Amino acid sequence: MSLETFERLVTDLYEAGTRQIDLVGRGEPLLNPHALEMIACAAGRGMTVTMISNGSRLAERVPGLVGAGLARFRLSLDAGRASTYPKIHVSETAESYARVIAGLANLVRARAGRAAPHVSASFTIGALNYRELVEMIEVVSEVGADAAHFQHVIPLTPEGSATVLSASAREELLRELVPAAAERARELGVATNLRAFAASQPPDPAGQEPVPCYVGSYFAVVLGNGNIMPCIQIERPVGSLRDSGFAQVWNSSPYREFRRAARRLPETSAPLETADCDRCYFRPHNVSVHNVVHPRARIRERSEALLSVSHLVRMSRLDRR
């Protein structure tokens, strides 16, 4: 995305009331040559800017990230051992693991005691790495990062389904591994979302009946090519910045049709044909919204207690202390 397009987008979003932008998904944000200027543009408007990165270009961008106004930086690490890293990040090596960890440590040092950016590492947990939770906590502590965030793998492909934990592995995770990691985090002073992670249900590889969806009312994805997607798990755009401004797309008929169709789930409809609603990343958010909006038709799921209304617009949160 060009800087000019991003600046127009930020203006539209700010005027519509948006106060948070996440630079993440379908690409590495630090590959954009204007990444630091983009952060400064949004932060200069008073927006909270979060970046989620694979760390491949972190080392060369550390000084600029601290000065640009970034509020949160999260490294997608996904491994507690160098030998596991290339099994998950298949184009990388064990040496890459050492390099991205060093970059994260440099970012922490560059903050020089300032609160921002908040620095964390994220770990998508599946069959390849679920026994490394304690090492993951220790890596976060060693680099001086603020927090470790854990999430379940979302099986959207046959390959992804193969990484989902078996029933016995999940039992081991809950019985032994999460408590051990939580204790180690307490010892080292690392904030985590382990309690919420353990309470959440991993997506079923076979899918499950979708729940009514509300993300179309408070969330949008804008791709680098300008396409605007109403959800991270849908392939059909509802409009493009190439044709109009964000505000026009947000208020357009295709977007309204998506919102209506999503709220009618599990009923099927044309606007949701390319959506993976049966393996929804936002399911806990949607259950929480639904139970607030429709208290007499509550959806009873373990995940409903994980999110309060004040957290609904966040992709994730740390456990309360």
Side-chain angles (χ1 to χ4, degrees), residues 43-66:
R45 287 293 191 103
M47 292 181 170
T48 298
V49 185
T50 295
M51 176 177 286
I52 301 180
S53 166
N54 63 25
S56 60
R57 298 298 179 92
L58 178 57
E60 62 209 65
R61 297 296 191 101
V62 162
L65 282 174
V66 173

Side-chain angles (χ1 to χ4, degrees), residues 2 58 130 150 215 242 278:
S2 70
L58 178 57
Y130 76 100
F150 298 88
V215 298
R242 296 187 300 270
D278 58 339

Side-chain angles (χ1 to χ4, degrees), residues 92-284:
E92 302 298 327
T93 64
E95 289 73 24
S96 304
Y97 182 76
R99 185 174 65 251
V100 298
I101 287 177
L104 196 64
N106 288 339
L107 179 59
V108 173
R109 285 193 290 269
R111 288 188 309 186
R114 287 175 286 187
H118 180 275
V119 177
S120 62
S122 69
F123 303 92
T124 299
I125 301 303
L128 295 174
N129 62 1
Y130 76 100
R131 288 199 171 102
E132 300 176 22
L133 265 63
V134 169
E135 289 108 315
M136 292 169 180
I137 296 294
E138 291 172 343
V139 166
V140 170
S141 177
E142 287 167 7
V143 301
D146 302 299
H149 179 266
F150 298 88
Q151 61 194 23
H152 295 290
V153 65
I154 299 177
L156 299 180
T157 66
E159 293 79 9
S161 297
T163 67
V164 174
L165 293 179
S166 65
S168 60
R170 177 161 171 76
E171 181 182 353
E172 180 187 2
L173 181 78
L174 297 178
R175 184 184 66 250
E176 301 176 14
L177 304 177
V178 167
E183 175 61 21
R184 190 61 174 143
R186 187 193 63 78
E187 294 171 351
L188 296 174
V190 175
T192 77
N193 70 329
L194 279 168
R195 180 166 56 85
F197 169 72
S200 62
Q201 292 288 344
D204 190 332
Q208 58 191 132
E209 183 172 86
V211 297
C213 172
Y214 302 89
V215 298
S217 296
Y218 63 86
F219 174 90
V221 178
V222 184
L223 302 185
N225 62 8
N227 284 348
I228 298 173
M229 322 294 286
C231 174
I232 58 174
Q233 290 177 217
I234 196 167
E235 296 301 323
R236 179 185 297 161
V238 289
S240 174
L241 296 180
R242 296 187 300 270
D243 305 318
S244 61
F246 181 86
Q248 286 79 12
V249 177
W250 180 259
N251 295 305
S252 67
S253 294
Y255 223 132
R256 291 197 299 270
E257 290 169 4
F258 170 84
R259 294 184 186 107
R260 285 195 293 265
R263 288 196 298 269
R264 291 198 299 265
L265 282 168
E267 178 184 328
T268 60
S269 57
L272 303 178
E273 283 178 348
T274 65
D276 292 303
C277 297
D278 58 339
R279 299 174 180 86
C280 179
Y281 183 85
F282 283 102
R283 189 180 184 96

